[in-house]
Amino acid sequence: MWRATESPAPTPPPGRRRLLTAALVLGSLVAGLVPASGAAASPDRSDVAAFDAVDPFIGTRLDTSRNKGNSAYGNTYPGATVPFGMVQSSPTTYRSSDGDQKGGYEYTADRLRGFGMTRLSGTGCEGRFSGFDFPVLPYTGALPGGALPTAPADRITDYHLGFDHADEKADPGYYSVGLANGVDAELTATTRTAVSRFDFPSDGGATLLFDVAGSNNRVFGSEVTVEGDTVSGWVEAASVCDEGGRYRAYFSTTFDRPVRSHGTWQGSEVHPGADTASGGTTKHGAGAYLVFDRGVRVTAKTGLSYVSVEGAARNAAAETRGRSFDAVRAQSARVWRDALGTLRVDGGSREQRVKFYTALYHALLHPNVFDDVNGDYRGYDGRLHQVERGRHHYVTYAGWDIYRSQAQLVALLFPKVGSDINQSLTDMARQTGTWPNWPHLNQSQQKMSGDSLQSVVASLDAFGSTDYDRRAALESMRSTQTLPADATLRRHAYQYATVGFVESRKGDSATSKTLEYAVDDFGIAQLAKRLGDEETYDRFMVRAQSWRHVFDDAGGHIRPRERTGFDRDFDLGERGNQFEQATGYQYGWMVPHNVGALIEKRGGTEAALRDLDEHTRELDAGVYGTKGAYLSNQPSFTMPFVYHWLGRPDRTGEVLRRAADEMYGTTPSGLPGNDDLGSLSSWYVWANIGLFPAIPGTADLMVSSPVFERVVVDSADSRRRITLDAPGAGRAPYVAALRVDGRATSKSWVSADFSREGGRLDLRMAPRPGAWGTGARDLPPSYADGTDARNNIGVTPDGHGNLGSLDLSDNSLSRERLAEAGAAPGAKLPLGDTGVVFTWPDTGPGEPDNWIPHGQRVPLGGRQATGISFLGLATNGPSQGTAVVEYTDGSTQSVPVGLTDWTPGTDHRFGNEPLVVTTGRNRAAGGSDTAQTKVFGTRPVALDPAKRVAAVVLPRGTDRGVMHVFDVALTDRPVAADGQDG
């Protein structure tokens, strides 16, 4: 480890970096290696090395004193694994006082349920975490007649293992514990193999129980076979949260000491000497026990596969043959040193380094290699597939969680892994025909909101992980998210894709779904732009601005919207059924791709700054009756960086440092919430290095004050290096000046080119805030493309009503009937003798043909005019709002707009004149009804005839129903002074 006073280490040659990734995901080992000593540091030293700083026990304790909505529980584990490994060999706990077992490892427990092969790090679904397949329990008791005294299926607790935390030790890739029965157990791992050593006492038995049906969640079948010194089998179990799919896992275990006798159990019956057993749906219903010499020290090598028992045996042989436990442990440590070495930091206290490197460790546990050493893997379609040589197929993604920072961290540190992840997700979409948002192993599952894995792909791609079938990925996104929305897994996708929001009556986190879908669509658009697909870019950027539909301009906040208007009685401080695991105040800042527009709609910089300051008074307030933030849960992750768009990056740094100090610690309860496969930890890593990917789908990086004086990113398998120097950051926490590759800049962000190619950032730090990052030209980008485009498809061909909808009841105008009534594409529609002539939108089927107003600017050519009129209708109306005419001289004029409901009978409001009358609306489900519909022209509103009209800004908000504007037209004929609409 080099220090800030030394010269930077030379860039490692490409060959070394290729070896690094090979070691990470192939589990390659070097016999005879011993763990390096690292930077031995005393408890009060701040130069503790990365490997030695990792404390796998952080996040293992549930803090029951805090009820924030989600558990104050990292739900991490202290077991043995390697980065992105298939195997997670770990203890799992049981609390004998109340039988609580959480489904994972919880620090207050007093017994262990054994040592399992698989584990998910940080999920919710308390008690239903999944994994813990094939637990092994060392047993020292007597075997009357060669049989276990009790069938584990009847009373597994008889075999639980007493332990004390004082007898535990955990390092990256290693775990050990001295058990109350006298056995010393040690665990280490390669990518696909668990290597375990059990040292039995001389005064008791030496038996290993293989609880083949002992998975955390429900089991649907299992089988075990003992053959010589090998035990193998499979289990079929429920995936994460014990809902949705079920997976089948296989194992094969060999030993370095002879098996003296064995037996099996099946249900309540124990069978000494039996070679096989199978179980149905009974938990712990089938297993085997193997007896060794008294006082033996036995090493077990257990291969894991999701293809076959033969694959599991092959995996173990390829990764561990001829290698001792100590050799495997040594190379596992070396792999972790290399992985942690991709992000080196200098400075900071010991506590800060422990928190930082433990977070980095946790951020690299998922997703996971799924292919066997021969390249075989079982796909989402249940078929056997072969991964391309030199690549890996990755599984298990918490989409809603990881798109906000973890995907970007993986791509930054391991771009080749990022490319393989993107290819894996593209293959997933090909095999399933759609995009599940929380796939576990090879099971397609939906959890949380959004199609966030599309944003994950876009973000990985933006950071340079582009070695995958990019066009296939984009085509899959485009085709599954395009109307008629019959291939998407987004809930309420048809309503969102047609009218631009999910109405609040749907419940089901309707309002936050609108925001999440907009972020997803932004990611699709950005990927399309990088691939030169302008049509897809334009289409999805329009949808990326859908967040505007749920912004209530009258109240200055995002809030639930009904088909008849905003629900202003909804308490934004409550979790309710409108916002996923968050409040409206927390989601009120989550428009990461267009923060500038959000600030404008919130009343401008001063008002937004005042609101954000109030919001961040509490950083982890939870979801019950609060206006505060919830930084231990994902919707708040990008919120602190809104200060960058407000010209106050100093306050971003203040919030990040407060969060690091107040919310995170080095005790087992040091993670303030569920880590969700590393997402909380990855946020913490970014927040401490002075960089953050605040705009998912891009590689734009916000620059803020780092905790450490020096940060070096050395991307594996890449020549990319990012160096950030911030001398004195510990005592001077504010950025006073920035140089990017030697050039001074006052911008508070760096572009995607820097993120992809690397470079150097030199920060001059100061004890107080200054002017850096405060200018109008210093603010990060806001992506506003698509804002002013037509955003609703209200006209559909007969028989294809699922290609659009005007209202929220799935009805649309008939393209053919409109043409018969004179409103064919491009047709001229005069408004009586007013001189107003509208043009019916010249759009094809499936193309947006009208505006649902949210403040779009419609250019009008700079001509002189005496009046303005609008062509449109309202659904669930009538609907009114105020447009603003912009003159070329910079002056403006407010113009009231009112439109009648499209099925009004003879009740025409506001002086509206029906211009197009049809009978029969197309239905999304097929066919049509018999309702008469009308499209109206509004009475012209007088304008200043001496001025030229540059544009009109449609109403920022409307009351009651949903307004639809098909065209805007001017007239140069006289307009009565009272010729106003509404």
Side-chain angles (χ1 to χ4, degrees):
M1 175 179 175
W2 54 272
R3 292 173 176 79
T5 57
E6 299 173 333
S7 300
T11 302
R16 180 262 178 194
R17 294 188 178 188
R18 283 193 291 273
L19 177 62
L20 169 63
T21 297
L24 294 181
V25 296
L26 289 177
S28 58
L29 298 167
V30 180
L33 277 176
V34 295
S37 60
S42 61
D44 59 345
R45 291 281 297 279
S46 64
D47 59 348
V48 58
F51 181 90
D52 301 311
V54 174
D55 182 353
F57 289 103
I58 292 175
T60 60
R61 180 170 185 165
L62 171 63
D63 183 354
T64 57
S65 68
R66 307 185 68 191
N67 180 18
K68 303 182 294 184
N70 289 2
S71 295
Y73 180 29
N75 186 23
T76 55
Y77 63 90
T81 188
V82 295
F84 315 115
M86 179 186 289
V87 162
Q88 302 85 34
S89 181
S90 182
T92 297
T93 58
Y94 179 86
R95 192 165 59 215
S96 57
S97 61
D98 58 4
D100 187 271
Q101 58 190 40
K102 295 296 178 214
Y105 181 100
E106 204 287 314
Y107 200 79
T108 63
D110 59 331
R111 298 180 72 79
L112 299 179
R113 294 190 287 134
F115 306 101
M117 285 282 289
T118 58
R119 182 71 161 82
L120 290 171
S121 181
T123 61
C125 298
E126 199 166 289
R128 297 174 288 124
F129 294 142
S130 190
F132 191 56
D133 300 308
F134 312 125
V136 177
L137 298 99
Y139 175 67
T140 58
L143 300 174
L148 294 173
T150 306
D154 292 340
R155 205 161 62 239
I156 188 65
T157 53
D158 286 359
Y159 301 98
H160 286 172
L161 308 164
F163 79 110
D164 190 288
H165 291 305
D167 299 319
E168 289 184 296
K169 174 179 173 56
D171 291 321
Y174 175 77
Y175 170 85
S176 68
V177 61
L179 299 169
N181 62 9
V183 177
D184 289 329
E186 296 177 275
L187 312 177
T188 190
T190 65
T191 297
R192 306 171 182 85
T193 308
V195 181
S196 310
R197 185 161 64 188
F198 302 98
D199 194 351
F200 285 88
S202 59
D203 59 351
T207 304
L208 290 177
L209 277 67
F210 284 77
D211 185 8
V212 178
S215 303
N216 259 341
N217 286 343
R218 287 178 298 155
V219 295
F220 304 95
S222 59
E223 187 174 286
V224 64
T225 299
V226 182
E227 186 175 356
D229 291 340
T230 300
V231 59
S232 61
W234 58 265
V235 68
E236 189 167 314
S239 56
V240 63
C241 297
D242 202 3
E243 59 190 35
R246 57 175 76 171
Y247 61 90
R248 182 172 288 199
Y250 302 84
F251 82 99
S252 176
T253 304
T254 58
F255 308 92
D256 68 343
R257 295 290 184 268
V259 177
R260 296 306 185 189
S261 63
H262 67 268
T264 65
W265 73 86
Q266 186 165 308
S268 298
E269 297 181 358
V270 179
H271 302 286
D275 296 331
T276 63
S278 58
T281 59
T282 302
K283 220 39 191 306
H284 316 291
Y289 59 96
L290 294 86
V291 182
F292 299 87
D293 291 331
R294 184 183 295 268
V296 72
R297 191 188 198 195
V298 60
T299 296
K301 296 179 178 179
T302 303
L304 177 67
S305 171
Y306 293 92
V307 175
S308 64
V309 166
E310 295 75 18
R314 188 185 303 115
N315 290 342
E319 293 183 347
T320 67
R321 178 180 287 146
R323 293 159 182 149
S324 68
F325 178 94
D326 291 330
V328 174
R329 177 190 173 188
Q331 184 59 14
S332 178
R334 180 173 178 175
V335 167
W336 271 113
R337 284 188 170 89
D338 280 347
L340 298 169
T342 58
L343 181 50
R344 304 192 305 274
V345 297
D346 238 0
S349 66
R350 178 184 177 89
E351 179 183 9
Q352 288 170 328
R353 296 178 67 81
V354 167
K355 290 191 292 184
F356 178 81
Y357 276 113
T358 302
L360 180 58
Y361 165 80
H362 284 142
L364 301 181
L365 298 179
H366 296 287
N368 306 103
V369 169
F370 196 61
D371 51 287
D372 287 350
V373 291
N374 66 351
D376 286 350
Y377 74 92
R378 189 76 60 182
Y380 296 85
D381 54 5
R383 298 177 181 176
L384 193 63
H385 296 267
Q386 178 79 204
V387 74
E388 184 181 334
R389 185 175 178 82
R391 306 192 73 123
H392 294 286
H393 184 78
Y394 289 89
V395 295
T396 303
Y397 305 91
W400 187 79
D401 308 279
I402 67 172
Y403 86 84
R404 304 167 201 263
S405 65
Q406 187 184 18
Q408 296 88 331
L409 185 63
V410 170
L412 180 69
L413 302 182
F414 301 99
K416 185 181 184 302
V417 173
S419 289
D420 282 0
I421 289 171
N422 271 357
Q423 187 60 54
S424 301
L425 292 172
T426 302
D427 291 339
M428 175 196 72
R430 182 182 295 116
Q431 292 165 17
T432 64
T434 189
W435 287 79
N437 67 6
W438 218 114
H440 174 210
L441 301 176
N442 57 356
Q443 301 303 302
S444 172
Q445 296 189 124
Q446 294 300 105
K447 290 176 174 59
M448 312 302 289
S449 300
D451 251 358
S452 306
L453 292 183
Q454 295 164 6
S455 186
V456 166
V457 169
S459 294
L460 290 167
D461 184 279
F463 272 85
S465 293
T466 57
D467 183 18
Y468 68 103
D469 194 342
R470 302 170 81 196
R471 294 199 176 276
L474 177 63
E475 172 56 27
S476 177
M477 295 177 194
R478 187 200 62 77
S479 62
T480 56
Q481 305 312 324
T482 301
L483 289 168
D486 53 6
T488 182
L489 294 178
R490 297 184 186 183
R491 289 179 60 83
H492 320 301
Y494 172 76
Q495 188 172 89
Y496 166 81
T498 53
V499 299
F501 66 97
V502 181
E503 62 179 331
S504 58
R505 70 173 60 183
K506 298 284 188 186
D508 194 29
S509 304
T511 307
S512 62
K513 276 184 167 61
T514 299
L515 301 173
E516 296 285 354
Y517 293 160
V519 173
D520 301 337
D521 287 340
F522 175 76
I524 296 172
Q526 295 306 302
L527 178 60
K529 187 173 186 178
R530 290 193 289 270
L531 290 174
D533 186 344
E534 292 298 326
E535 180 182 352
T536 300
Y537 172 76
D538 291 342
R539 176 182 301 179
F540 282 89
M541 279 304 294
V542 173
R543 288 172 41 164
Q545 309 304 337
S546 295
W547 63 273
R548 294 172 176 266
H549 290 304
V550 292
F551 192 96
D552 179 14
D553 284 271
H557 212 289
I558 287 168
R559 71 170 54 251
R561 184 176 180 180
E562 204 12 285
R563 62 183 61 184
T564 54
F566 285 97
D567 181 3
R568 294 182 178 129
D569 293 328
F570 183 85
D571 181 0
L572 292 173
E574 292 292 336
R575 181 174 182 168
N577 66 352
Q578 292 297 312
F579 297 97
E580 185 89 71
Q581 293 190 2
T583 68
Y585 291 111
Q586 291 151 7
Y587 258 107
W589 299 102
M590 211 208 79
V591 186
H593 53 288
N594 201 356
V595 177
L598 176 68
I599 290 171
E600 179 189 357
K601 290 181 79 67
R602 291 187 68 116
T605 299
E606 289 188 14
L609 183 60
R610 184 173 57 251
D611 289 347
L612 191 55
D613 284 346
E614 179 182 6
H615 186 63
T616 55
R617 291 184 196 281
E618 289 185 271
L619 297 184
D620 202 21
V623 292
Y624 301 117
T626 178
K627 291 186 176 183
Y630 192 9
L631 270 173
S632 64
N633 208 29
Q634 287 72 20
S636 285
F637 274 12
T638 60
M639 174 275 299
F641 300 91
V642 173
Y643 279 119
H644 272 58
W645 279 268
L646 293 169
R648 294 301 304 269
D650 57 301
R651 294 197 182 175
T652 299
E654 290 171 356
V655 168
L656 298 182
R657 289 181 182 237
R658 281 178 54 207
D661 292 341
E662 296 173 12
M663 295 170 54
Y664 292 80
T666 57
T667 68
S669 57
L671 266 178
N674 299 144
D675 203 20
D676 290 314
L677 276 57
S679 65
L680 208 65
S681 290
S682 61
W683 182 90
Y684 185 85
V685 169
W686 284 109
N688 278 260
I689 64 173
L691 300 169
F692 192 84
I695 311 175
T698 77
D700 301 331
L701 285 174
M702 307 302 108
V703 179
S704 62
S705 58
V707 168
F708 303 100
E709 296 197 347
R710 186 176 179 88
V711 177
V712 180
V713 173
D714 253 332
S715 300
D717 294 289
S718 168
R719 292 190 179 276
R720 174 174 57 196
R721 169 175 282 185
I722 294 175
T723 302
L724 186 151
D725 267 318
R731 62 182 181 278
Y734 296 100
V735 179
L738 169 66
R739 298 181 74 87
V740 179
D741 293 329
R743 295 186 176 183
T745 179
S746 57
K747 294 182 183 299
S748 62
W749 63 286
V750 291
S751 70
D753 289 341
F754 180 91
S755 305
R756 285 191 285 265
E757 297 170 10
R760 184 180 184 89
L761 303 175
D762 289 285
L763 281 63
R764 180 164 57 85
M765 308 303 292
R768 289 176 295 278
W772 177 80
T774 61
R777 295 184 178 181
D778 301 337
L779 310 184
S782 294
Y783 293 85
D785 283 359
T787 296
D788 295 328
R790 288 184 169 95
N791 58 1
N792 175 244
I793 304 168
V795 178
T796 61
D798 289 346
H800 298 280
N802 56 2
L803 293 181
S805 175
L806 267 174
D807 63 4
L808 290 101
S809 298
D810 305 344
N811 298 304
S812 57
L813 291 167
S814 161
R815 187 176 180 88
E816 290 78 6
R817 292 183 180 93
L818 286 171
E820 292 172 2
K828 302 299 182 182
L829 300 173
L831 180 60
D833 60 359
T834 63
V836 170
V837 179
F838 298 110
T839 301
W840 191 256
D842 191 3
T843 56
E847 296 179 359
D849 47 50
N850 70 90
W851 292 276
I852 296 178
H854 55 53
Q856 299 93 326
R857 186 177 187 274
V858 182
L860 292 176
R863 56 174 280 201
Q864 288 182 302
T866 58
I868 187 170
S869 186
F870 300 83
L871 177 70
L873 54 84
T875 57
N876 299 289
S879 184
Q880 298 181 83
T882 301
V884 176
V885 171
E886 296 180 347
Y887 294 109
T888 56
D889 65 1
S891 62
T892 61
Q893 177 184 337
S894 295
V895 176
V897 183
L899 286 166
T900 301
D901 188 89
W902 65 327
T903 58
T906 59
D907 183 17
H908 305 162
R909 304 289 182 92
F910 320 116
N912 288 176
E913 182 174 335
L915 294 186
V916 184
V917 180
T918 64
T919 299
R921 302 177 297 182
N922 286 342
R923 300 281 297 143
S928 60
D929 61 16
T930 59
Q932 185 186 70
T933 65
K934 296 179 180 179
V935 183
F936 300 93
T938 67
R939 181 186 303 163
V941 178
L943 301 178
D944 187 336
K947 297 183 178 182
R948 295 183 178 275
V949 180
V952 63
V953 177
L954 298 180
R956 290 164 60 96
T958 56
D959 73 337
R960 300 179 65 182
V962 178
M963 182 181 288
H964 298 261
V965 176
F966 287 89
D967 193 26
V968 183
L970 301 173
T971 181
D972 54 10
R973 296 185 185 177
V975 175
D978 63 348
Q980 61 178 351
D981 191 38

